[in-house]
Amino acid sequence: IDRDMQTVTLIPGDGIGPEISAAVMKIFEAAKAPIRWEERNVTAIKGPGGRWMIPPDAKESMDRSKIGLKGPLKTPIAAGHPSMNLLLRKTFDLYANVRPCVSIEGYKTPYTDVNLVTIRENTEGEYSGIEHVIVDGVVQSIKLITEEASRRIAEYAFEYARNNQRNSVTAVHKANIMRMSDGLFLRKCREVAENYKDIKFTEMYLDTVCLNMVQDPTQFDVLVMPNLYGDILSDLCAGLIGGLGVTPSGNIGANGVAIFESVHGTAPDIAGMDLANPTALLLSAVMMLRHMGLHDHGNKIQAACFDTIRDKKVLTKDLGGNSKCSEFTDEICRRVKDLE
Amino acid sequence: MILCVCVLQPPPARYGGRHTVTLIPGDGIGPELANHVRELFRFCCVPVDFEVVNVDSTMASEDDINNAIMAIRRNGVALKGNIETNHNLPPSYKSRNNLLRTTLDLYANVMHCQSLPGVRTRHRNIDIMIIRENTEGEYSSLEHENVPGVVECLKIITRTKSLRIADYAFRMAREKGRRQVTAVHKANIMKLGDGLFLECCKEVASGYPEINFDSMIVDNTTMQLVSRPQQFDVMVMPNLYGNVVSNVCAGLVGGPGLVPGANYGEDYAVFETGTRNTGKSIANRNTANPTAMLLASCLLLDHLKLHAYASMIRRAILTTVTETRLHTADLGGQGSTSEVVQSIMNAVQSTGPRTLSI
């Protein structure tokens, strides 16, 4: 066993998942990245006691490797078990969802020079799932904000900013209206900011962020926020750079676990037809390499991917071309080898 | 059973055909913009008298805002600037703006975002009407700390209010000849709350067969708005998503200085800028864009059925907005607020009606 090889748990997923995972593995091989893939399936099974859980071999692999790469998972309808993404989140306490949004030169959108990161608290907030029908026709949904979760996400945001040479962290909130809950979140961010004097800390209302984001996204750097605002803003920012097909995403958990994933759907209509665009999963894999400290390989693969897109000669359909997934993949492999 | 909501009647004009309107200047750029409205109305001989009610946002007591609310009950209609909320104060200090909206039950916030010629933006041909539930949802101000460090904030969705806002949206769509109403929600996660909202929208939609109804999840909505905003027509949604979507749309058509907003209730109507900004950092510098507030005053005039005045002033405002050399800083220009207002008055004068001499 090559001692330099690091193990990564690979979850290909459903629909176009297997083909884009294969594309990523091929590109990694071309780049000679020191990664050994361990493929696992995470379809929920019923454990002892009747509770739904991910298969034990998948959990064991993740606990050992600590790093995962995941393709899209289909949303179960009438399958009896909850969403797999939710199950993964709970199993590994994936508390931070990180999405770097960088404009891709060569894939034109009305917005250029976007370079920001959204860091979203992913365990509580508006998605606590606690809802009640009080009386017929009156529903109450509970938004939960705790000191612990707010402190943890704030700390992650500042650590991320420091480790990735970012200049400022902005807390996004609506404490004018939700004084106690967002107020608590804000207070924790302020407290953590005290320990990171090298990073500039600002606060901004959610509506002001939205208003300014669509007019001038270059003014934003790292954004940290509770669950719902994070959900909305991270998708808004993905829209600025071209959508979910080109946006990477990472989920950071407790105990050093990190799972990187593409956030687009399974695209069942084109599954198995060699038409898929592996960019999102590839860029998530690049994020993963950087997380693991393998910056050289990460930069090389990213450069090859962006060069291919910029060149416009070999592009998948969603990027405006008419090449196959395999052709796009081979082109990136070729460039990666040239960059040696 | 859908509530029968009657068409809102403006208060009858008393005292020789003149209307009295409550004016709340607010904070930041509010006072200077309120003055420009008065200046313009005086110049155009608009038969409106303003009853000014100041609300001091630094006072802990709610007397000021209660006076304002009473004045609005008296006059039936108001024009308002944004009142600052210091979010570092304890929860006992409630947002004055929110208090006003909920006490007067101004349940529908309406914002019409349109691309304006002469204003350079990344997207063209936007024409979206946003109807936002204005009194419940996440803005119910019901929060408690169960144990230290654990806070719950309640989002309330009721069948009554959801039906009411959906009905408002569809009636407005029918009145204005719009083709499509899109409900914005997150019912995949908030199954009961947003699920109820969506159900109510579907129920109301069945009574308007000529209008297409569809729904979209809020995160996808924002993504679609920044890539292809032209696909949207009328959008209806609960309070918080309304906050997000209206700010995104305002940004898409040129910013907070351009879009007016209206808050309608059963008995009262309050007009303000669409995105409700205080503009603290640019206050008293004569650089604020008066367009949004002046267009809001035109909505006010339409509400009072003073359509001739409304159209005249609106035409003059839109003529001025296309004049790029007069653009204020928010539009990338160097014009001052007073230059813009002066130009609007000139435009009004040149169309010929009786006005005060400048």
Side-chain angles (χ1 to χ4, degrees):
Chain A
I1 298 171
D2 187 342
R3 223 167 289 160
D4 289 331
M5 296 285 274
Q6 297 192 54
T7 310
V8 168
T9 306
L10 175 67
I11 302 158
D14 309 306
I16 55 172
E19 40 197 294
I20 55 176
S21 301
V24 170
M25 286 198 280
K26 197 166 183 200
I27 294 168
F28 268 49
E29 202 186 314
K32 299 209 191 52
I35 303 290
R36 183 178 46 237
W37 304 100
E38 240 178 50
E39 261 190 62
R40 292 287 181 269
N41 186 325
V42 292
T43 314
I45 60 167
K46 248 205 174 136
R51 247 182 356 134
W52 290 102
M53 53 187 239
I54 66 169
D57 63 339
K59 181 165 192 312
E60 184 273 333
S61 173
M62 267 308 303
D63 283 336
R64 193 175 13 93
S65 67
K66 300 288 192 198
I67 309 285
L69 183 67
K70 173 183 143 309
L73 294 174
K74 66 170 178 258
T75 321
I77 301 175
H81 62 73
S83 117
M84 286 317 309
N85 290 313
L86 184 61
L87 211 47
L88 276 170
R89 203 170 302 139
K90 290 228 142 58
T91 309
F92 299 106
D93 197 11
L94 301 174
Y95 66 91
N97 178 255
V98 184
R99 269 201 222 170
C101 289
V102 182
S103 284
I104 299 177
E105 199 192 324
Y107 187 45
K108 266 201 101 257
T109 64
Y111 299 88
T112 55
D113 301 327
V114 179
N115 187 352
L116 55 89
V117 182
T118 58
I119 298 184
R120 158 191 177 188
E121 203 293 322
N122 217 3
T123 63
E124 56 176 27
E126 300 81 347
Y127 295 3
S128 55
I130 311 170
E131 294 189 288
H132 315 104
V133 178
I134 310 293
V135 291
D136 186 36
V138 179
V139 175
Q140 159 184 305
S141 301
I142 295 186
K143 163 177 165 167
L144 188 66
I145 298 282
T146 62
E147 192 170 340
E148 184 53 39
S150 304
R151 191 192 45 77
R152 190 165 63 162
I153 194 69
E155 263 172 19
Y156 181 79
F158 279 95
E159 270 302 315
Y160 181 94
R162 197 177 257 171
N163 294 341
N164 290 274
Q165 290 82 44
R166 311 291 305 205
N167 300 320
S168 73
V169 171
T170 305
V172 181
H173 67 99
K174 269 215 79 67
N176 49 343
I177 300 292
M178 287 177 258
R179 193 71 47 77
M180 238 188 247
S181 42
D182 283 0
L184 173 58
F185 180 83
L186 210 50
R187 260 198 325 278
K188 289 295 126 191
C189 290
R190 286 176 187 159
E191 271 169 37
V192 172
E194 289 297 308
N195 299 330
Y196 292 83
K197 293 288 202 192
D198 49 325
I199 312 279
K200 179 161 169 239
F201 173 66
T202 51
E203 308 166 2
M204 203 183 269
Y205 289 142
L206 172 67
D207 36 350
T208 314
V209 172
C210 289
L211 185 61
N212 293 347
M213 182 71 78
V214 300
Q215 293 179 85
D216 178 24
T218 62
Q219 63 189 278
F220 296 103
D221 194 348
V222 177
L223 298 163
V224 64
M225 58 216 118
N227 215 333
L228 175 68
Y229 312 154
D231 192 8
I232 298 175
L233 273 180
S234 59
D235 275 9
L236 175 64
C237 296
L240 298 178
I241 62 167
L244 299 182
V246 294
T247 307
S249 175
N251 299 289
I252 310 298
N255 305 318
V257 167
I259 301 184
F260 299 86
E261 60 174 351
S262 57
V263 286
H264 53 69
T266 51
D269 49 335
I270 58 168
M273 289 159 56
D274 198 16
L275 292 171
N277 177 359
T279 305
L281 190 63
L282 186 63
L283 291 178
S284 302
V286 165
M287 230 182 126
M288 178 189 82
L289 286 171
R290 294 200 171 116
H291 178 87
M292 295 162 86
L294 298 165
H295 295 277
D296 283 342
H297 290 94
N299 292 339
K300 211 165 42 175
I301 295 174
Q302 184 176 287
C305 179
F306 283 177
D307 285 348
T308 307
I309 296 176
R310 189 185 312 121
D311 210 26
K312 293 202 210 292
K313 292 212 193 72
V314 186
L315 292 175
T316 48
K317 190 148 172 285
D318 62 310
L319 291 173
N322 50 22
S323 301
K324 292 196 173 316
C325 175
S326 47
E327 290 167 347
F328 183 69
T329 307
D330 288 340
E331 178 65 18
I332 298 178
C333 290
R334 189 183 65 75
R335 286 178 190 272
V336 158
K337 292 194 182 116
D338 284 348
L339 284 168
E340 283 290 326
Chain B
M1 193 192 90
I2 298 177
L3 284 177
C4 182
V5 182
C6 29
V7 174
L8 179 50
Q9 293 294 327
R14 288 184 281 261
Y15 308 121
R18 298 184 68 80
H19 295 261
T20 309
V21 170
T22 307
L23 178 63
I24 303 166
D27 297 311
I29 53 173
E32 56 196 273
L33 294 180
N35 285 338
H36 286 302
V37 171
R38 283 195 283 189
E39 192 187 333
L40 185 59
F41 275 24
R42 213 173 14 242
F43 177 79
C44 300
C45 300
V46 174
V48 164
D49 296 314
F50 285 109
E51 180 188 349
V52 180
V53 183
N54 286 304
V55 176
D56 186 349
S57 55
T58 61
M59 302 266 288
S61 135
E62 288 177 8
D63 285 347
D64 273 0
I65 192 66
N66 287 330
N67 287 341
I69 291 171
M70 197 149 49
I72 300 176
R73 286 198 209 276
R74 197 172 36 243
N75 298 321
V77 68
L79 184 68
K80 113 181 224 310
N82 199 46
I83 303 164
E84 170 131 29
T85 306
N86 180 350
H87 62 262
N88 295 313
L89 291 173
S92 52
Y93 179 92
K94 303 207 183 116
S95 155
R96 299 327 190 202
N97 306 302
N98 202 26
L99 269 174
L100 198 145
R101 291 191 291 265
T102 49
T103 313
L104 293 172
D105 200 20
L106 301 169
Y107 67 89
N109 176 252
V110 182
M111 226 173 92
H112 188 184
C113 292
Q114 279 175 296
S115 294
L116 294 177
V119 177
R120 218 154 34 100
T121 53
R122 292 180 179 85
H123 308 272
R124 303 303 311 161
N125 301 320
I126 299 174
D127 190 346
I128 303 175
M129 288 219 70
I130 300 162
I131 316 257
R132 161 189 177 185
E133 207 294 321
N134 215 9
T135 57
E136 60 171 19
E138 301 80 348
Y139 287 49
S140 307
S141 300
L142 295 166
E143 297 182 291
H144 49 269
E145 193 162 12
N146 299 345
V147 291
V150 177
V151 175
E152 279 187 349
C153 173
L154 306 181
K155 162 177 165 169
I156 309 290
I157 300 279
T158 61
R159 173 174 295 279
T160 319
K161 292 197 177 179
S162 302
L163 285 174
R164 190 168 64 164
I165 194 66
D167 192 57
Y168 187 93
F170 277 90
R171 262 188 304 122
M172 157 99 29
R174 180 177 269 172
E175 232 170 84
K176 309 242 178 225
R178 314 284 287 209
R179 298 271 61 116
Q180 167 107 12
V181 172
T182 305
V184 179
H185 66 96
K186 190 89 194 161
N188 51 337
I189 304 285
M190 282 179 259
K191 298 184 167 68
L192 294 182
D194 285 356
L196 175 59
F197 181 81
L198 204 52
E199 199 185 293
C200 293
C201 289
K202 285 187 185 144
E203 216 178 292
V204 172
S206 59
Y208 293 80
E210 81 275 16
I211 297 176
N212 284 334
F213 170 70
D214 71 343
S215 62
M216 198 184 273
I217 299 180
V218 61
D219 37 350
N220 187 24
T221 307
T222 53
M223 214 172 356
Q224 296 294 325
L225 277 170
V226 297
S227 40
R228 207 168 49 91
Q230 299 81 6
Q231 64 185 287
F232 296 105
D233 192 349
V234 177
M235 300 170 83
V236 63
M237 60 210 91
N239 217 328
L240 183 69
Y241 311 147
N243 186 223
V244 169
V245 169
S246 51
N247 275 270
V248 169
C249 290
L252 292 175
V253 298
L258 293 177
V259 191
N263 303 282
Y264 297 105
E266 201 93 28
D267 306 307
Y268 313 108
V270 173
F271 302 89
E272 55 179 350
T273 63
T275 50
R276 302 170 174 170
N277 305 89
T278 329
K280 231 183 354 188
S281 56
I282 55 168
N284 301 316
R285 293 214 203 138
N286 201 19
T287 53
N289 191 339
T291 309
M293 185 60 95
L294 294 175
L295 284 175
S297 70
C298 292
L299 291 175
L300 164 70
L301 292 172
D302 273 325
H303 179 74
L304 295 174
K305 306 247 194 284
L306 296 169
H307 298 298
Y309 289 103
S311 304
M312 174 178 87
I313 296 175
R314 189 174 287 128
R315 231 186 341 258
I317 296 172
L318 294 177
T319 310
T320 307
V321 151
T322 64
E323 194 72 55
T324 349
R325 64 183 173 81
L326 280 177
H327 279 181
T328 40
D330 60 314
L331 296 176
Q334 285 155 341
S336 70
T337 319
S338 34
E339 277 170 7
V340 174
V341 176
Q342 187 60 59
S343 166
I344 293 170
M345 294 199 284
N346 292 347
V348 163
Q349 175 128 77
S350 66
T351 61
R354 260 181 319 151
T355 56
L356 293 179
S357 50
I358 300 174

